[in-house]
Amino acid sequence: MTHECSFLTDHLPDDRVSFGDDERGDHAADWGTPPGEDVMPDAVCWPEATEEVSAVLAAATRRGVPVTPYAAGTGLEGNALPAHRGVSMDLTRMDSVLDVHPADFQVDVEPGVFGSAVNDAVDEADLFLPPLPQSADISTVGGMVANDASGAKTVKYGEVHDWVLGLEAVLADGTVIETGSRAKKTSSGYNLTDLLVGSEGTLGVVTRITFELARRPKQVRGGRATFDDLDAAAEAVSATMQAGVDVATIELLDPLSAAVANAYSGTDLPESPLVFLEFHANHGVGTEVETCREVFERCGATGFEVGAGEAMERLWQARRDLAPAMVAYDPPRRPVKPGDVTVPISDYPAMVRFAKDEAAAHGLDVLCFGHAGDGNVHYNVLVDLDDPDERAAGTAVSDAIVERAIELGGTSTGEHGVGQGKRKYLVAEHGEAGVEAMRTVKHALDPTDTLNPGKIFPETLDGERLWVDPPE
């Protein structure tokens, strides 16, 4: 359905509105959109201030035109795909670090700021934002807040929502709200901040974020361990967490992931199960490293290397490059439905083994890697995308992995969000009553389904919009 979007130029300069095929094509997909399933928006706009976001949303809601917030397009679940066309609202020009409050360990930023730029802005104060994902150099904080992202350091520092103190956001009708406060804690009213974090742009468009920051640790060590057996590597991760070792990062790579990393980075990682580690402390880091080494050796580690500074960076480089390595990986086979699940840490070894066995039963390979310390498994089932039977088999494997994670008491998505890719699992994970409560919130804040329609809720699988009549 094509929507009339000429009203955009009533609220934005002509050079910040586009109806051209090139710009619309650039906003028709994200990293996780399967080939041939992109959707062209009717128009793209680039607001530069909260007032402009408000004006565009109010006008769009009056006309029944969908608006899909867009950041860097690095999502994997179709979160920023304009499923019902309309307007793709690109927030990347709202990219300022507004204020740094070093005495309060806080920073105010706009949503289009890259995660790495936040750390650059607060580095002089010896502070950093801990929950940034591995893709912080190419992902915006607005997208991270929208998906409640997390990264390698989640095991020690938590997810993005743990570091958001307050937000400014614009609702579908153009109303601007502020949530949270600069205080470290509050028990005042409903927690609208956490409601908006992870809502994927379906409840409001975030235009300002106040993040809490952490002091940079005085001692940082990092490295990797090698195993002969994937089960042993996964067991080592679980045993390390159960032993209470204070790790900041503990990441698993299976042999195939190591091969992909080597091909991209030109590195010489052993193509065997690997666990990457990072330790943060202000004192006594050596004790944590040695305790971890003991646990790993009991679990069968055949190598354990830890260093600091440049030595640590060399040991870690291939893991840091893994996300672009997956994108650049050459045929004949490519990931059919890249995704992630998270399970309780005691079930982590079983989850990894299930993924491998399920793929093997279909004659396929699956790459398993991820932020193992918090039970997170990233899975990429490799198929020939031009072979319908193989593609269907790969989809079946991906579905089975997600279903098994939920059966184990885990979640269908640890950090990539629901988007379109994980909608069908929502009821299985939360129950019909839980999903109905979510629908009620959505309907209350966005009764015309203006904001990012076709996302999260399973009833939109066939393309229906939930509420189509604009207000009188």
Side-chain angles (χ1 to χ4, degrees):
M1 178 179 179
T2 300
H3 298 271
E4 174 55 56
C5 297
S6 60
F7 69 90
L8 290 170
T9 55
D10 296 335
H11 306 284
L12 297 173
D14 289 351
D15 63 354
R16 289 198 274 120
V17 176
S18 177
F19 303 97
D21 288 348
D22 288 346
E23 291 81 3
R24 291 164 57 224
D26 288 343
H27 293 75
D30 63 12
W31 277 11
T33 303
E37 295 186 18
D38 52 319
V39 178
M40 293 266 278
D42 297 301
V44 181
C45 70
W46 289 266
E48 294 182 357
T50 300
E51 295 76 15
E52 292 178 342
V53 173
S54 174
V56 169
L57 285 179
T61 296
R62 287 195 299 270
R63 292 166 173 80
V65 175
V67 178
T68 302
Y70 188 94
T74 55
L76 292 180
E77 299 295 352
N79 319 76
L81 181 79
H84 294 275
R85 300 179 65 95
V87 177
S88 179
M89 179 180 281
D90 188 319
L91 298 162
T92 54
R93 297 190 189 182
M94 296 180 68
D95 61 353
S96 296
V97 175
L98 299 170
D99 208 352
V100 179
H101 307 275
D104 296 317
F105 295 82
Q106 294 175 9
V107 62
D108 298 328
V109 298
E110 290 183 317
V113 177
F114 287 119
S116 56
V118 178
N119 277 343
D120 290 343
V122 302
D123 184 65
E124 188 174 325
D126 207 26
L127 301 172
F128 77 118
L129 182 59
L132 297 178
Q134 296 283 79
S135 59
D137 288 344
I138 57 173
S139 301
T140 67
V141 294
M144 296 174 200
V145 168
N147 290 341
D148 194 11
S150 56
K153 298 179 179 64
T154 302
V155 61
K156 182 177 178 72
Y157 295 103
E159 299 178 81
V160 162
H161 76 259
D162 295 307
W163 296 85
V164 177
L165 289 170
L167 299 170
E168 177 185 78
V170 185
L171 304 182
D173 65 358
T175 301
V176 180
I177 64 170
E178 295 190 3
T179 73
S181 73
R182 293 196 178 280
K184 187 172 178 62
K185 64 179 183 178
T186 177
S187 57
S188 173
Y190 292 165
N191 190 338
L192 296 180
T193 302
D194 273 1
L195 181 63
L196 288 169
V197 175
S199 65
E200 302 182 31
T202 63
L203 300 181
V205 177
V206 171
T207 52
R208 190 188 72 238
I209 308 148
T210 298
F211 283 116
E212 186 177 4
L213 302 168
R215 178 73 61 191
R216 288 196 176 276
K218 294 178 181 178
Q219 298 177 326
V220 177
R221 302 289 185 273
R224 62 178 184 248
T226 308
F227 293 80
D228 289 333
D229 179 74
L230 185 60
D231 286 334
E235 290 286 355
V237 171
S238 179
T240 299
M241 301 314 301
Q242 291 165 3
V245 179
D246 186 11
V247 292
T249 300
I250 182 165
E251 302 262 311
L252 177 74
L253 264 69
D254 69 3
L256 187 53
S257 299
V260 170
N262 282 337
Y264 179 84
S265 304
T267 49
D268 58 354
L269 288 177
E271 293 182 6
S272 59
L274 299 171
V275 177
F276 286 76
L277 299 142
E278 195 167 301
F279 303 86
H280 292 183
N282 289 323
H283 52 79
V285 71
T287 300
E288 299 300 330
V289 172
E290 289 310 308
T291 302
C292 186
R293 183 195 302 271
E294 292 170 5
V295 173
F296 273 36
E297 289 177 349
R298 287 199 299 270
C299 291
T302 56
F304 190 94
E305 304 173 82
V306 171
E310 291 184 5
M312 182 186 82
E313 292 300 317
R314 285 195 299 273
L315 290 170
W316 258 90
Q317 187 57 47
R319 173 61 187 98
R320 297 193 206 283
D321 289 343
L322 192 55
M326 295 292 177
V327 176
Y329 192 55
D330 287 333
R333 288 193 168 98
R334 292 184 178 276
V336 62
K337 287 181 68 177
D340 78 306
V341 295
T342 304
V343 296
I345 191 63
S346 63
D347 291 312
Y348 190 76
M351 187 68 247
V352 173
R353 176 47 53 202
F354 178 88
K356 288 292 185 180
D357 289 347
E358 190 70 18
H362 287 76
L364 299 173
D365 289 319
V366 59
L367 293 88
C368 288
F369 59 99
H371 314 314
D374 52 45
N376 184 224
V377 182
H378 291 251
Y379 57 89
N380 283 359
V381 184
L382 300 181
V383 304
D384 180 350
L385 294 177
D386 294 325
D387 183 331
D389 291 339
E390 195 163 299
R391 189 165 180 168
T395 299
V397 172
S398 296
D399 288 345
I401 290 170
V402 178
E403 289 162 5
R404 182 59 178 154
I406 294 172
E407 289 172 2
L408 291 171
T411 177
S412 62
T413 172
E415 59 188 40
H416 294 154
V418 175
Q420 290 187 310
K422 294 292 178 67
R423 293 177 300 184
K424 63 183 178 181
Y425 307 111
L426 209 65
V427 172
E429 184 171 340
H430 299 285
E432 183 57 51
V435 176
E436 183 59 29
M438 296 181 199
R439 293 189 191 103
T440 301
V441 172
K442 167 69 170 172
H443 196 181
L445 294 182
D446 182 14
T448 57
D449 204 22
T450 297
L451 285 168
N452 209 2
K455 309 300 167 58
I456 298 182
F457 296 106
E459 65 268 28
T460 60
L461 277 172
D462 296 324
E464 305 96 333
R465 293 183 65 191
L466 297 180
W467 307 286
V468 295
D469 297 326
E472 294 294 332

